Amino acid sequence: MNDNASISWQLATVKDIRVENATVKTFTLSLSHWVAHLAGQYYDIRLTAPDGYQAQRSYSVASEPGQVGEIQLTIENLAEGEVSSFMHEVVEIGDQLEVRGPIGKYFVWQPKRKEPLLLVGGGSGVVPLMAILRHRAAVGAMNYTKLLYSVRSPEHLIYAEELRKMQQEGERLAIHLTYTRSIPEQWAGYQRRVDRAILEELLHTYPETPLAYLCGPDSFVEQVAVHLVNIGLPTASILTERFGPSGS
Ligand SMILES: Cc1cc2nc3c(=O)[nH]c(=O)nc-3n(C[C@H](O)[C@H](O)[C@H](O)COP(=O)(O)OP(=O)(O)OC[C@H]3O[C@@H](n4cnc5c(N)ncnc54)[C@H](O)[C@@H]3O)c2cc1C
């Protein structure tokens, strides 16, 4: 999973914990050996039990690279998940955690890339896409950009308020939600799993071939990638990050 095992572990201090929704929290970690990450990269967290047993998982950086000295990780609490449950139920402000990063060379966006962007996230797969959106906003990049965020219900949204503001203020930016299970009354947007028709509709207005960043559960990323290839997007323009085994 890691493409840079030579990166050293360091101790991070939990500076803040923000509740995003009933199952998701954002952890702000202060790092003594901070280096600026690229939007899309991730960190590993390693937990060690008193008997020496270790568990290690990867988490995308949610914050943008200009946040000097710290990173934010947004973590969904999975039922019986070893590391995510520990983060949600045990970790408190002031605690120290072993982390290493930033990791990842492929699923990254840098402002020197001027192509339009199509960001497609399922569930917590929105996290690295948020880092891209935040970085794009922070540097004033004007890439024509759409985010398609597939989520079970409004209650499961992460970053709801910030996305709403971004939609209002962001130039050349459109945020599209699709609800897959519970649809709010009066909802006029998409209300089904991401399919070819949704992607075709969104791609229709692009001035040129976009760079597509897909992130979420394995099955979600797989299906969206197949649709995009079938629509005719070159495979070189499709970047994927797979979070785990289940569907959203
Ligand atoms: C590069 C990368 C970046 C990631 N970034 C994030 C992130 O920003 N936020 C985040 O919340 N997670 C992220 N993940 C997923 C994360 O690494 C863990 O897999 C997840 O937190 C589950 O770990 P756990 O120890 O809690 O569960 P485990 O003990 O590993 O598994 C518990 C149960 O959950 C199932 N499961 C495991 N992983 C997932 C998953 N991702 N989705 C659904 N079911 C799963 C298992 O099959 C098992 O049944 C990322 C994964 C990768 C590879």
Side-chain angles (χ1 to χ4, degrees):
M1 180 189 301
N2 293 325
D3 55 6
N4 199 344
S6 62
I7 296 178
S8 304
W9 292 95
Q10 60 173 305
L11 279 181
T13 305
V14 180
K15 187 179 161 192
D16 185 55
I17 302 176
R18 188 174 66 230
V19 174
E20 301 283 0
N21 64 37
T23 55
V24 177
K25 289 180 181 173
T26 292
F27 299 82
T28 302
L29 306 181
S30 297
L31 302 178
S32 44
H33 302 289
W34 178 87
V35 290
H37 62 278
L38 303 177
Q41 285 188 306
Y42 63 92
Y43 270 68
D44 288 338
I45 293 181
R46 180 167 71 183
L47 306 178
T48 306
D51 66 1
Y53 170 78
Q54 291 190 321
Q56 179 184 317
R57 301 288 184 274
S58 304
Y59 293 99
S60 301
V61 183
S63 45
E64 68 100 11
Q67 202 168 326
V68 176
E70 58 188 38
I71 53 166
Q72 289 182 334
L73 306 179
T74 298
I75 300 181
E76 180 177 10
N77 192 4
L78 294 181
E80 293 172 37
E82 214 172 10
V83 173
S84 63
S85 305
F86 181 88
M87 291 298 295
H88 274 255
E89 288 153 27
V90 179
V91 169
E92 295 178 348
I93 292 173
D95 285 354
Q96 292 201 307
L97 294 167
E98 249 191 317
V99 302
R100 71 171 174 192
I103 303 170
K105 297 188 179 78
Y106 169 71
F107 192 81
V108 296
W109 177 76
Q110 293 176 270
K112 65 184 179 195
R113 300 298 303 252
K114 300 300 178 199
E115 300 95 324
L117 303 173
L118 172 66
L119 312 177
V120 187
S124 56
V126 75
V127 175
L129 309 182
M130 196 60 181
I132 293 174
L133 287 176
R134 285 169 169 165
H135 193 33
R136 177 187 174 281
V139 300
M142 295 299 285
N143 307 54
Y144 183 84
T145 300
K146 290 183 184 180
L147 169 71
L148 174 59
Y149 179 13
S150 173
V151 65
R152 273 171 260 181
S153 72
E155 293 73 36
H156 287 88
L157 276 171
I158 312 173
Y159 315 128
E161 183 55 23
E162 191 176 343
L163 286 173
R164 199 185 56 76
K165 276 196 189 140
M166 270 187 179
Q167 172 66 94
Q168 282 175 351
E169 295 162 14
E171 282 188 66
R172 294 165 61 80
L173 172 68
I175 311 284
H176 296 270
L177 304 176
T178 183
Y179 293 116
T180 56
R181 293 202 194 158
S182 162
I183 320 295
E185 270 183 42
Q186 314 284 335
W187 175 248
Y190 297 120
Q191 37 188 285
R192 59 189 195 269
R193 285 174 181 272
V194 174
D195 58 19
R196 179 173 172 153
I198 294 179
L199 293 165
E200 275 179 330
E201 199 168 294
L202 295 185
L203 284 167
H204 186 63
T205 57
Y206 274 79
E208 58 178 297
T209 305
L211 268 182
Y213 290 79
L214 321 180
C215 186
D218 292 349
S219 54
F220 174 88
V221 171
E222 193 58 38
Q223 284 162 21
V224 176
V226 168
H227 288 316
L228 290 177
V229 169
N230 289 340
I231 290 170
L233 221 65
T235 50
S237 303
I238 304 173
L239 310 179
T240 60
E241 186 83 282
R242 293 168 164 81
F243 270 12
S246 66
S248 66

